[in-house]
Amino acid sequence: SCDHRQTLLFSATWPDCMQKMAADFLKDPLQLQVGKTDKLRATSGIAQEVSFCDEKGVTKMSELLKILKSRSYDLTLIFVAKKETCHQLSHELRGSVPGR
């Protein structure tokens, strides 16, 4: 039943719009923060990269593969908007990046 449902919300940052959404959807939320509590800054051990894919013929996947192949990260966290995109990305990345 709905009384026993558990909803989890994860966010790399905690801007006002995310806080409002959490207040609207979550009952008695528990907030866990890792590192500094600055809303818009990652923990010092985390490297954030932003890549724009607006060049003609450049796809998000080709840009992502280029980034992953050019660096030696132990762990990589990629955010996507939909579960379906997550499954598709996982399938496409398998075997495409050496050592992963």
Side-chain angles (χ1 to χ4, degrees):
S1 77
C2 289
D3 293 337
H4 300 290
R5 183 181 75 189
Q6 182 178 18
T7 303
L8 303 174
L9 173 67
F10 298 91
S11 178
T13 58
W14 197 237
D16 292 338
C17 63
M18 290 296 294
Q19 292 179 41
K20 181 180 179 336
M21 185 175 69
D24 290 344
F25 289 99
L26 303 177
K27 179 180 178 183
D28 299 324
L30 173 68
Q31 182 176 338
L32 175 66
Q33 293 178 303
V34 177
K36 295 186 180 199
T37 58
D38 185 339
K39 293 180 186 177
L40 299 176
R41 187 181 321 156
T43 301
S44 62
I46 296 175
Q48 294 187 66
E49 294 189 29
V50 176
S51 295
F52 294 96
C53 302
D54 60 354
E55 294 178 33
K56 194 171 191 169
V58 175
T59 65
K60 290 179 186 179
M61 179 56 71
S62 65
E63 184 67 18
L64 177 59
L65 285 172
K66 183 173 85 175
I67 291 168
L68 293 175
K69 288 178 179 180
S70 69
R71 293 167 179 82
S72 59
Y73 298 122
D74 290 331
L75 299 171
T76 301
L77 180 61
I78 302 168
F79 289 92
V80 296
K82 297 178 182 177
K83 186 177 181 180
E84 177 183 331
T85 306
C86 182
H87 290 300
Q88 179 184 7
L89 181 62
S90 174
H91 178 73
E92 290 186 38
L93 287 177
R94 280 202 182 110
S96 297
V97 181
R100 298 182 199 251

